[in-house]
């Protein structure tokens, strides 16, 4: 989008590391506080907190223009209090000039927060600022799989006070979480045996089956009353199989795939789609509050898998279409940036479109959701359509574009790297 010029006194939404955008005001930094070298940034005082930080310009958005959008995607008592503080400030300022110094004095206990981008570092945080007041369950939580999504989920579970035991196929990924208070499970079976509720979040149906049915798998640790929650995006048939084997041992089963990205996982803003044992869903209330902004219970096991595949089919097809539009604009001599500016002023405007298109124009394909995973989801959705005798021609066309992108070694890049399938 066109560059927005900000200055001291402007109200903004500031994105700090892994945390949700927060309302603030650009202020003058203390004289003895130097601006980070090589960074275009502003010094921001956040409303409703004592926090100040240098924030990169690309992580700042004008307050009024994005207010409605931010209120929809954020939540929590502290967040609402911060927004109320901004509105009170605006009422007092109405009709008269307010110098930058009208903000409350900078605390002597000034806390400078270094901006972290793309980090899975678990930092102490005021949990109520993100998800409101959460009382963590006293049940022991296990978590299997620390990929792009799982890492953010475990981070938020720990921050909200849950007792978590982790396992990952690549054991080194557990180290960070162990340092922050998680316990280490040596095998999936051991985690399931030690914990009351065990979550898993892995890449595909085969990985999900292997985790349960393989050597030292979850099934070996399931006892009557143990809960197993499958968060991976898989097909309904896999969910049915896993549900049957878990319940055959007296276990309780819930599927709970999540809609979102790595950034939303880090922010605790996922959307959880649950189905299966309703009592397990209720037992996981504090966990779902920690990791997501909302959750839906969809009935019998398999329904959440179906809904998730439909959602990801739409998202994948949409991303392929946006990439196609960008490349057609270039091929016909139109400005891609102007195309994006126009798009973001119309009915299709969204944070998703803005961020993905900006990343494409900057050549930044760092994964927020792996391209190989969205292609997997498209494939599974098409298969689901075949079984229901329902046509999915748009998804089939998009799937072919993603397959071409994979052939161009884009599998481990972000889904926006589908753009490269059109330019090679």
């Amino acid at each position: 989008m066109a560059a927005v010029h900000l200055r001291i006194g402007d109200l903004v939404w500031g994105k700090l590391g892994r945390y949700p955008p927060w309302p603030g005001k650009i202020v003058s930094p203390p004289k003895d506080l130097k601006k980070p070298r090589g960074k275009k940034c502003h010094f921001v005082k956040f409303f409703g907190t004592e926090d100040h930080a240098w924030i990169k310009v690309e992580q700042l958005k004008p307050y009024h223009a994005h207010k409605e959008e931010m209120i929809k995607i954020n939540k929590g008592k502290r967040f609402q209090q911060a927004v109320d503080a901004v509105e009170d400030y605006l009422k007092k300022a109405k009709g008269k000039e307010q110098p930058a110094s009208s903000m409350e004095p900078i605390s002597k206990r000034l806390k400078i927060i270094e901006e972290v981008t793309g980090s899975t570092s678990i930092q102490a945080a005021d949990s109520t600022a993100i998800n409101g007041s959460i009382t963590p369950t006293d049940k022991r939580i296990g978590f299997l799989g620390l990929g792009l999504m799982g890492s953010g989920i475990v981070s938020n579970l720990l921050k909200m006070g849950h007792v978590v035991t982790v396992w990952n196929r690549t054991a080194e990924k557990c180290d960070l979480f162990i340092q922050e208070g998680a316990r280490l499970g040596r095998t999936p079976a051991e985690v399931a045996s030690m914990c009351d509720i065990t979550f898993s979040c892995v890449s595909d149906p085969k990985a999900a089956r292997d985790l349960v049915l393989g050597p030292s798998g979850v099934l070996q640790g399931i006892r009557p009353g143990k809960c197993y929650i499958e968060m991976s995006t898989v097909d309904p048939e896999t969910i049915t199989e896993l549900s049957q084997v878990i319940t055959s041992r007296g276990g309780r089963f819930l599927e709970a795939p999540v809609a979102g990205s790595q950034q939303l996982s880090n922010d605790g803003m996922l959307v959880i789609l649950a189905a299966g044992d309703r009592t397990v869903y209720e037992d996981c209330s504090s966990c779902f509050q920690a990791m997501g902004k909302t959750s839906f219970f969809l009935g019998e096991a398999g329904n959440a898998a179906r809904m998730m595949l439909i959602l990801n089919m739409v998202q994948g097809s949409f991303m392929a279409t946006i990439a196609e539009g960008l490349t057609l604009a270039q091929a016909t001599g139109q400005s891609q940036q102007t195309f994006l500016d126009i798009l973001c002023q119309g009915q299709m405007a969204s944070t998703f479109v803005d961020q993905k298109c900006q990343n494409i124009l900057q050549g930044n394909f760092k994964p927020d959701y792996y391209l190989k995973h969205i292609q997997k989801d498209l494939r599974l959705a098409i298969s689901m359509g075949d079984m229901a005798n329902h046509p999915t021609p748009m998804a089939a066309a998009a799937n072919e574009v993603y397959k071409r992108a994979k052939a161009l070694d884009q599998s481990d890049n972000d889904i926006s790297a589908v753009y490269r399938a059109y330019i090679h």
Side-chain angles (χ1 to χ4, degrees):
M1 296 182 66
V4 177
H5 299 289
L6 299 170
R7 57 187 180 181
I8 290 176
D10 285 349
L11 299 178
V12 294
W13 296 96
K15 184 74 176 68
L16 186 64
R18 299 182 294 111
Y19 302 111
W22 202 262
K25 180 178 179 181
I26 297 176
V27 298
S28 298
K31 292 182 180 179
D32 59 348
L33 186 64
K34 295 183 178 179
K35 191 174 184 179
R37 295 180 63 181
K39 293 183 179 180
K40 293 183 178 179
C41 52
H42 291 289
F43 193 69
V44 176
K45 164 70 178 76
F46 291 102
F47 282 87
T49 76
E50 293 185 355
D51 296 343
H52 307 67
W54 288 107
I55 305 294
K56 292 181 181 179
V57 293
E58 59 264 29
Q59 299 294 337
L60 294 170
K61 292 184 176 181
Y63 176 80
H64 295 288
H66 295 272
K67 175 183 172 182
E68 184 175 346
E69 167 194 347
M70 296 303 176
I71 289 177
K72 284 182 179 179
I73 65 173
N74 291 325
K75 63 178 181 177
K77 294 179 181 177
R78 287 287 301 278
F79 176 78
Q80 186 57 55
Q81 289 170 357
V83 174
D84 290 344
V86 179
E87 297 304 312
D88 288 343
Y89 168 76
L90 288 170
K91 288 179 183 177
K92 293 177 182 178
K94 188 176 180 180
K96 59 181 179 179
E97 292 293 327
Q98 287 288 332
S101 59
S102 65
M103 289 291 286
E104 63 185 81
I106 294 176
S107 170
K108 293 181 180 179
R109 297 175 297 158
L110 181 67
K111 179 170 64 174
I112 304 302
I113 308 172
E114 293 294 333
E115 184 180 33
V116 180
T117 55
S119 170
T120 57
S121 172
I122 304 170
Q123 301 175 353
D126 181 350
S127 62
T128 61
I130 302 175
N131 283 20
S133 179
I134 296 174
T135 301
T137 178
D138 59 2
K139 297 182 182 297
R140 295 164 296 180
I141 305 301
F143 205 95
L144 312 173
L146 299 173
L148 290 184
M149 305 296 280
S151 292
I153 291 172
V154 171
S155 171
N156 283 305
L157 288 172
L158 288 169
K159 280 188 290 190
M160 300 306 172
H162 296 85
V163 177
V164 185
T165 299
V166 296
W167 175 90
N168 191 70
R169 185 174 56 182
T170 306
E172 292 76 16
K173 285 190 176 182
C174 297
D175 292 345
L176 173 65
F177 301 98
I178 302 304
Q179 293 171 13
E180 298 298 328
R183 301 171 183 179
L184 178 65
R186 292 174 296 179
T187 66
E190 183 177 85
V191 174
S193 178
M194 293 169 57
C195 298
D196 303 303
I197 301 172
T198 300
F199 294 86
S200 75
C201 188
V202 292
S203 59
D204 55 36
K206 182 180 185 304
R209 287 191 178 96
D210 289 347
L211 201 59
V212 173
L213 303 172
S216 299
V218 166
L219 195 59
Q220 296 181 26
I222 291 294
R223 302 289 183 271
K226 297 282 187 182
C227 301
Y228 187 66
I229 302 175
E230 182 58 78
M231 303 193 79
S232 313
T233 301
V234 298
D235 55 282
E237 292 72 31
T238 295
I239 291 299
T240 299
E241 179 183 358
L242 296 181
S243 176
Q244 290 174 348
V245 297
I246 294 295
T247 55
S248 72
R249 296 289 181 90
R252 301 157 62 201
F253 181 84
L254 185 77
E255 59 167 333
V258 292
S261 61
Q262 180 187 32
Q263 187 61 58
L264 292 175
S265 176
N266 290 343
D267 292 344
M269 297 296 287
L270 296 168
V271 175
I272 298 115
L273 309 184
D277 190 326
R278 179 70 186 241
T279 62
V280 179
Y281 175 70
E282 293 168 353
D283 286 346
C284 294
S285 175
S286 72
C287 298
F288 290 153
Q289 288 180 62
M291 65 181 74
K293 66 177 179 178
T294 190
S295 62
F296 295 84
F297 185 78
L298 303 178
E300 65 180 19
N303 283 344
R306 295 181 183 96
M307 186 67 79
M308 183 58 62
L309 289 177
I310 295 167
L311 289 169
N312 284 358
M313 177 189 75
V314 172
Q315 178 176 272
S317 300
F318 181 56
M319 185 70 251
T321 300
I322 293 295
E324 190 170 292
L326 280 168
T327 52
L328 182 59
Q330 185 178 46
T332 56
Q334 305 305 302
S335 163
Q336 291 180 317
Q337 183 63 60
T338 301
F339 165 73
L340 174 56
D341 291 343
I342 296 170
L343 191 65
C344 288
Q345 292 299 316
Q347 292 179 317
M348 295 177 67
S350 68
T351 302
F352 176 83
V353 170
D354 187 16
Q355 291 179 343
K356 294 302 181 188
C357 290
Q358 291 290 3
N359 287 346
I360 287 173
L361 297 185
Q362 295 166 13
N364 173 19
F365 298 106
K366 181 180 178 181
D368 195 38
Y369 193 93
Y370 284 120
L371 184 143
K372 61 185 177 185
H373 289 169
I374 202 71
Q375 191 274 319
K376 173 262 298 182
D377 296 343
L378 281 163
R379 173 174 55 81
L380 294 177
I382 293 166
S383 176
M384 186 171 71
D386 289 343
M387 294 181 67
N389 196 29
H390 184 82
T392 53
M394 305 302 291
N399 187 45
E400 293 303 314
V401 183
Y402 282 98
K403 285 163 63 176
R404 173 165 172 74
K406 286 177 64 177
L408 294 169
D409 296 325
Q410 301 302 310
S411 290
D412 292 324
N413 282 333
D414 186 67
I415 64 171
S416 54
V418 68
Y419 174 84
R420 289 181 168 166
Y422 292 98
I423 60 175
H424 287 89

